[in-house]
Amino acid sequence: LAAGTAVLQVARRIRLNRMPLSVFTNCLTVAQVLVTVHDLKVTLLGGHLRPQNVSMVGGFAEAMLDHLWFDQLFLGTGAIDEDCCLYSLNEEEARLNEKMLSRATNRILLVDSSKFGRRLTYRVAKLSADTAIVTDDGITLNWKTRLKEAGCETRVVTGAIPASREIRI
């Protein structure tokens, strides 16, 4: 589980529907939500603290990922531009997110519709056919078409992802 408000909703869902899992995260808030869940092993990636989203980033976090492989990755993003690339405001977060994407079998991108058609400073990665997108019903038909052309399976949920909606994956 990466950092971000949409990913935090997944952590809250895991807390409600307890099951034996191993969760790796770079987000202190996600770890705090899951710390008391029985039969759940939570591993926090090392690094230095990025206060903007209370996440761990940097070389130590990236180096830990070199020794790990994940069945599923739940990742948020700051922006997806017309070039179908993910973007971040932070260089270290961009590098870590790119590394997370490279270390996961199933990639699930949680992104609200306001992030489409935007570009931020640092490129994370280009969308690929092995990435599923979960977004809200504010996504435009143009973006649905673009995502389909990129080979991304897109799931639209009613309402805003980050604030209040329950995500079923």
Side-chain angles (χ1 to χ4, degrees), residues 8-112:
L8 182 58
Q9 297 306 316
V10 173
R12 289 177 176 150
R13 179 65 183 215
I14 291 169
R15 183 179 175 90
L16 292 174
N17 294 342
R18 298 171 182 210
M19 63 189 89
L21 289 174
S22 291
V23 174
F24 292 80
T25 186
N26 69 315
C27 182
L28 292 175
T29 308
V30 166
Q32 285 179 313
V33 165
L34 298 175
V35 71
T36 61
V37 178
H38 184 68
D39 287 336
L40 192 70
K41 179 181 177 188
V42 178
T43 302
L44 188 61
L45 299 180
H48 65 267
L49 184 61
R50 180 171 179 254
Q52 291 84 353
N53 63 356
V54 198
S55 66
M56 305 303 286
V57 294
F60 287 124
E62 292 171 42
M64 283 184 75
L65 291 176
D66 286 335
H67 303 282
L68 300 169
W69 188 258
F70 306 105
D71 293 327
Q72 290 188 314
L73 168 66
F74 291 91
L75 179 73
T77 189
I80 300 177
D81 199 18
E82 303 294 325
D83 60 1
C84 287
C85 289
L86 311 177
Y87 287 89
S88 174
L89 276 175
N90 182 272
E91 178 184 9
E92 291 177 308
E93 180 180 69
R95 280 197 320 264
L96 186 64
N97 288 349
E98 180 181 27
K99 178 79 94 167
M100 287 178 184
L101 286 163
S102 75
R103 305 299 297 169
T105 302
N106 297 303
R107 298 159 191 90
I108 301 150
L109 184 65
L110 307 172
V111 55
D112 69 83

Side-chain angles (χ1 to χ4, degrees), residues 140-159:
T140 66
L141 181 58
N142 178 44
W143 271 105
K144 285 182 188 176
T145 302
R146 279 178 179 266
L147 295 173
K148 185 175 184 178
E149 289 170 356
C152 297
E153 176 188 347
T154 303
R155 299 175 194 169
V156 177
V157 296
T158 303

Side-chain angles (χ1 to χ4, degrees), residues 114-158:
S114 71
K115 310 271 178 85
F116 290 97
R118 295 181 55 210
R119 181 177 292 183
L120 297 173
T121 310
Y122 298 97
R123 182 184 178 277
V124 174
K126 187 162 183 72
L127 285 174
S128 60
D130 56 4
T131 304
I133 311 266
V134 178
T135 189
D136 63 87
D137 55 5
I139 188 172
T140 66
L141 181 58
N142 178 44
W143 271 105
K144 285 182 188 176
T145 302
R146 279 178 179 266
L147 295 173
K148 185 175 184 178
E149 289 170 356
C152 297
E153 176 188 347
T154 303
R155 299 175 194 169
V156 177
V157 296
T158 303

